[in-house]
Amino acid sequence: MTEQSPALQNLLTENRTFPPDADFSAQANAKADMYDKADSDREAFWAEQAERLHWDTKWTQVVDWSNAPFAKWFVGGKLNVAYNCVDRHVEAGFGDQVAIHWVGEPGDTRDITYAELKDEVCRAANALLSLGVRPHDRVAIQLQMIPEAIFAMLACARIGAMHSVVFGGFSPTALRSRVDDAEAKIVITSDGQYRRGKAAPMKANVDEALEGAESVEKVIVVRRTGDDVPWKEDRDLWWHELTGAQSTEHKPEAFDSEHPLYILYTSGTTGKPKGILHTSGGYLTQVAYTHQNVFDHKPGEDVYWCTADIGWVTGHSYIVYGPLANRATQVVYEGTPNTPHEGRHWEIIQQHKVSIYYTAPTLIRTFMKWGDEIPAKYDLSSLRVLGSVGEPINPEAWVWYREHIGGGRTPVVDTWWQTETGGIMISPLPGVTATKPGSAQRPLPGISAKVVDDSGNEVPHGGGGYLVLDKPWPSMLRGVWGDDERFKETYWSRFSSQGYYFAGDGAKYDNDGDIWLLGRVDDVMNVSGHRISTTEVESALVSHPTVAEAAVVGASDPTTGQGIVAFVILRGSAADGGEQAVQELRNHVAKEIGPIAKPRQIMMVPELPKTRSGKIMRRLLRDVAENRQVGDVTTLADSSVMELISAGLKSGK
Ligand code: WTA
C-alpha cells in the first residue's frame, strides 16, 4: 500500500464538505433517486441509459455475463458509433451547432460545426475504404491534438475498423511495438507538431518506427507545420489530397453492439504494454451517460473542455465519444498550458465562455505553483462544473481549484476510472453529492465497487484495502488484445473466487463509507497522471550497454504525484558513473519509451536489495528515494545491502 499518500495525509487535516447549491441542484441532470433506482434493478437502469443512443436494431438482452470475465452488453443490438456521435445531431437540426472550437498552439483557430464534422468524417471514412480498410482492420493513429485526430478516430468507428491511438510523445520504439502488436494496416500521423512554440518533427519518427514493419501498407500524413518531410512514394499519402478527393456522403453501416471499437495500449506490471480492447454499444452508453451526469452537461448551452490528449483514454471517452454522443460544443486545444504564457487556459476559458472544465491534479498543482494571480486576471465566471482525473487529488489542490478557478461556487468532481473501465466509475454527482476534497466518494448509479482486504472481504467503514469492481459494467474492457490469458491473470485472478475485477489501486472507506483512492498497489507508477510500469523503465535502462542491472520505483513528488527514481548497477568497465553517465541514461530512457518516462533521478548503486527468491524489494528502495528510514530488511537475502546502498549514496558514489 502506498505509504502516507498525499490524499491520506490531508484526509487528516481537511474535513470540510461542500453541499450542493440549491439552484444548481434544481437544474441538475443527476437526481438523488438514481442510486436507488439503479440498485433496485441494475439491468433496467442500464437499458434506460442505452436508450440515449440510436440503435438500428434493438438488443434482446442487457448483459450476458455467462462467459465471465468476457462480457457482452446489449446483446443482439446494432448501431453505428460515428452516426451516434455526428449524423444524428445533424439530422435533428443541429448541423450549425459548433462541435469543436479548435485552438492551435500558435494562435490559429478553426470552428467545426456538426455538419462540417459529418462531411470530414465521411470523407475520411471513404478514404480509408479506398485503401482497402475493412471492418476489424487496425488503424494506428499518432497525432497531436488537431481536428484530424478526431476525424480519423470517427472514420474508423464509422466503417467498423479499430483505431489504436498512440500518444504523440511516444518514441519510435514504443510506436513500433504497438503497431506490431496490433498488426496495423494503416498509420496516420502528421508532418510535425507545435510544442512550446516550436515545430518538432513527427513523420520522421514514424518513418524510423516503421522501418521494416510488415503489417503497414500505407501512411497517411496530415500537413500541420508545413516542414519538409522524407517521403516514400509507394507508401505515403497526404491526408488533404486523399480525403479531399472523396465524397462527403457515406452511408453508415450498423455494427453489432459488441463490434470492436478500439485498442488502447496501457502499462501494466510487466514490460510489455497491454492492448486494452473496447467495443461499441456498452462503451458508448456508459461514456454518454457519465458525461451527461457527472459534468451536468446540457447540449447547446454548455461549452465543455477536457484538457486531456487523445493519446490517453480520457481523450477517447471524454473528448471524442462521450461529448460528441451528447452533442457537446467543446474546446480542443493543441498546445501546452504555458505557451505562450501561463494564463493560456484561462484566456481560452474567458474567450469561449467554457462552462465545464476537466483536467488532471498534476496540472492543477502546476497552476498553483505558477501563482494565484494568473487565473485572477481572467473572467472565469462562465465555469459551473470542474472535474479532475488521473490520480488522487490532494485536498489542498482540490480546494485551490474550487476557490481560484471555480470562484468558490462550482462543484468539483473527482472522477476515478481507468483505461480498462472505459468510463467514469466513482465520482460525486454535481447537484446531488455533498463533496469532500480529495475523495472520489461513491460508485455512480449502476456501478458497484468495494474496498476489500487480502482475502476479498469487504473492510468496515474506516478501513483500507484494495479497490475491486464486483459487478460487470457496460464500458468494461472486453479483453487484452491477442492475450486472453493475460486478461484473466491481470484483472481476475487476484480475487477469482469472488469474481471481482482487481483495479490495482489501494483505497479506504471513511466513516461515512465514502471511498478515498490511495494510489497503485502494483508496480505501476503514476507520473503526471500517466501510467508507466517500473518494469518498462527497467528494461529500457538495461538495454543500455553500460547498465548491468536496474530497479525503478515511483517516489512521491509534490507536482507530478510520483517521480521516477532509478537505482542502477553499472557494468564493471563503466563503474564510475558520474553526472554525464546519469544524463546519458535519462536520455536513453526518453528515447526508448518517450520523454514522459525520463527518470527524475538515477542513483548508481553497488547492489540491489533482493529477496532470497531474487525479487527486488522496491519498498525498500522507495524508502531511500523518499528519504525515509529504511523499513524491515529481514526478508532480504543479504541484509547488509541496504547499508551498502545508503553508504554509497551518502559518499556520492
Ligand atoms: C489513477 C485514467 C485517484 C488510478 C482515466 C488508476 C486515479 C489509474 C483517479 C488509471 C482518481 C485515475 N483518483 N486515482 N480520480 N483517476 N487514477 O488508465 O491509479 O491512464 O488505476 O486512466 O490512474 O490510469 P489510466
Side-chain angles (χ1 to χ4, degrees):
M1 182 87 22
T2 312
E3 303 88 353
Q4 289 291 304
S5 71
L8 187 56
Q9 261 169 31
N10 283 283
L11 172 57
L12 308 169
T13 52
E14 171 67 65
N15 51 19
R16 274 183 288 174
T17 58
F18 295 85
D21 177 84
D23 290 344
F24 191 105
S25 298
Q27 60 81 60
N29 291 340
K31 302 286 176 225
D33 66 359
M34 284 165 64
Y35 291 102
D36 283 345
K37 248 173 88 181
D39 279 349
S40 67
D41 190 342
R42 266 171 59 81
E43 293 198 13
F45 178 82
W46 282 116
E48 195 186 320
Q49 299 313 320
E51 294 293 349
R52 59 180 72 237
L53 305 180
H54 172 86
W55 296 83
D56 294 82
T57 307
K58 204 176 154 164
W59 64 88
T60 51
Q61 189 183 358
V62 174
V63 57
D64 177 0
W65 192 229
S66 59
N67 186 29
F70 297 91
K72 287 194 177 124
W73 280 85
F74 308 115
V75 184
K78 283 191 183 351
L79 81 170
N80 185 288
V81 169
Y83 173 85
N84 271 281
C85 292
V86 186
D87 307 44
R88 67 171 170 145
H89 307 316
V90 179
E91 288 171 11
F94 299 104
D96 292 337
Q97 182 185 323
V98 172
I100 299 168
H101 288 294
W102 180 74
V103 181
E105 195 189 79
D108 50 338
T109 59
R110 180 174 173 195
D111 284 348
I112 299 155
T113 63
Y114 273 97
E116 289 165 340
L117 182 62
K118 177 172 173 285
D119 289 352
E120 296 282 3
V121 172
C122 287
R123 276 206 187 96
N126 287 325
L128 292 175
L129 288 170
S130 77
L131 299 177
V133 178
R134 296 292 173 261
H136 297 277
D137 282 349
R138 275 80 59 202
V139 174
I141 302 175
Q142 189 174 44
L143 280 173
Q144 68 273 43
M145 294 298 288
I146 51 178
E148 288 80 0
I150 299 172
F151 305 158
M153 290 166 76
L154 290 170
C156 290
R158 191 172 185 99
I159 63 172
M162 303 162 68
H163 53 74
S164 165
V165 181
V166 179
F167 176 57
F170 274 130
S171 69
T173 318
L175 171 62
R176 174 62 175 272
S177 68
R178 287 158 174 78
V179 165
D180 281 351
D181 189 74
E183 295 174 282
K185 201 165 167 178
I186 304 282
V187 178
I188 306 179
T189 188
S190 65
D191 52 356
Q193 61 174 331
Y194 291 109
R195 221 69 203 142
R196 301 180 200 286
K198 286 207 278 293
M202 284 276 273
K203 175 153 194 300
N205 289 339
V206 172
D207 284 343
E208 185 186 332
L210 299 186
E211 198 61 52
E214 278 176 11
S215 61
V216 178
E217 294 170 11
K218 296 286 174 200
V219 174
I220 307 174
V221 187
V222 178
R223 192 154 70 195
R224 171 65 182 130
T225 58
D227 289 345
D228 280 344
V229 288
W231 205 254
K232 273 196 162 56
E233 278 307 329
D234 57 343
R235 190 199 66 183
D236 300 345
L237 296 156
W238 283 112
W239 170 279
H240 59 276
E241 288 177 5
L242 179 69
T243 63
Q246 302 293 331
S247 157
T248 55
E249 296 299 319
H250 173 267
K251 196 172 168 306
E253 182 184 337
F255 293 102
D256 192 89
S257 178
E258 284 300 330
H259 190 85
L261 182 60
Y262 67 80
I263 308 173
L264 183 58
Y265 286 85
T266 187
S267 291
T269 48
T270 69
K272 191 169 170 274
K274 301 179 288 243
I276 302 301
L277 176 67
H278 283 292
T279 62
S280 304
Y283 174 80
L284 198 61
T285 297
Q286 189 168 336
V287 296
Y289 154 69
T290 50
H291 175 262
Q292 193 215 2
N293 286 289
V294 173
F295 301 114
D296 195 44
H297 176 259
K298 311 275 196 308
E301 295 171 30
D302 279 306
V303 179
Y304 167 83
W305 183 13
C306 165
T307 70
D309 188 286
I310 50 129
W312 311 115
V313 74
T314 308
H316 284 60
S317 301
Y318 296 104
I319 294 178
V320 182
Y321 293 109
L324 294 177
N326 288 341
R327 188 168 47 87
T329 293
Q330 66 179 320
V331 167
V332 173
Y333 171 54
E334 181 186 35
T336 50
N338 52 351
T339 307
H341 57 80
E342 291 171 347
R344 187 76 191 262
H345 277 206
W346 322 127
E347 187 180 72
I348 292 172
I349 290 174
Q350 172 177 288
Q351 189 196 344
H352 287 288
K353 301 202 165 30
V354 171
S355 51
I356 304 167
Y357 179 72
Y358 188 30
T359 196
T362 185
L363 195 56
I364 298 168
R365 290 191 295 265
T366 303
F367 292 141
M368 289 171 74
K369 219 162 57 182
W370 288 345
D372 305 353
E373 65 285 2
I374 296 174
K377 282 191 274 199
Y378 297 88
D379 177 5
L380 304 179
S381 61
S382 55
L383 289 170
R384 57 181 209 92
V385 179
L386 299 177
S388 171
V389 63
E391 51 174 316
I393 179 164
N394 47 312
E396 193 195 352
W398 192 105
V399 168
W400 184 91
Y401 194 28
R402 182 179 153 103
E403 291 300 317
H404 293 273
I405 308 304
R409 300 169 280 111
T410 58
V412 173
V413 288
D414 174 12
T415 64
W416 179 90
W417 59 294
Q418 311 177 296
T419 305
E420 293 87 342
T421 69
I424 299 172
M425 303 294 284
I426 306 179
S427 168
L429 284 175
V432 173
T433 315
T435 51
K436 292 180 185 171
S439 172
Q441 300 189 275
R442 283 182 74 175
L444 290 175
I447 300 296
S448 188
K450 284 188 165 67
V451 182
V452 299
D453 63 18
D454 260 321
S455 341
N457 299 316
E458 187 167 18
V459 301
H461 289 183
Y466 307 99
L467 182 71
V468 297
L469 303 168
D470 58 318
K471 295 199 173 96
W473 63 101
S475 65
M476 68 196 293
L477 75 167
R478 299 302 198 263
V480 171
W481 180 250
D483 203 341
D484 287 351
E485 274 317 302
R486 195 169 173 203
F487 170 57
K488 290 190 225 160
E489 170 61 31
T490 311
Y491 305 104
W492 304 94
S493 65
R494 181 74 178 76
F495 297 106
S496 57
S497 51
Q498 295 87 349
Y500 293 163
Y501 168 91
F502 173 54
D505 279 301
K508 75 170 265 148
Y509 288 127
D510 65 17
N511 292 331
D512 304 325
D514 279 320
I515 296 175
W516 294 69
L517 277 310
L518 302 173
R520 302 286 305 192
V521 291
D522 53 13
D523 292 336
V524 173
M525 300 174 285
N526 190 325
V527 183
S528 296
H530 300 148
R531 275 167 72 169
I532 302 168
S533 89
T534 51
T535 337
E536 229 176 321
V537 180
E538 285 164 5
S539 316
L541 283 166
V542 296
S543 75
H544 192 275
T546 61
V547 176
E549 248 188 289
V552 166
V553 298
S556 65
D557 184 287
T559 308
T560 60
Q562 285 190 313
I564 304 176
V565 178
F567 295 82
V568 166
I569 306 178
L570 293 177
R571 287 187 191 285
S573 56
D576 227 1
E579 192 47 32
Q580 208 186 333
V582 167
Q583 283 315 329
E584 180 168 334
L585 288 180
R586 292 181 71 230
N587 293 335
H588 177 73
V589 175
K591 190 172 166 295
E592 285 294 303
I593 306 174
I596 53 167
K598 209 177 203 181
R600 182 185 79 186
Q601 213 176 343
I602 296 183
M603 308 195 201
M604 307 297 184
V605 292
E607 288 292 345
L608 290 171
K610 289 187 186 153
T611 60
R612 282 171 201 97
S613 59
K615 199 173 171 315
I616 293 173
M617 290 193 71
R618 291 200 178 77
R619 172 173 63 78
L620 300 176
L621 293 173
R622 215 174 297 127
D623 288 341
V624 175
E626 295 178 344
N627 294 317
R628 254 195 318 271
Q629 176 89 37
V630 172
D632 182 9
V633 297
T634 48
T635 50
L636 283 181
D638 173 358
S639 61
S640 65
V641 166
M642 289 317 292
E643 284 162 36
L644 213 58
I645 291 177
S646 307
L649 294 175
K650 277 199 199 88
S651 71
K653 283 234 181 98

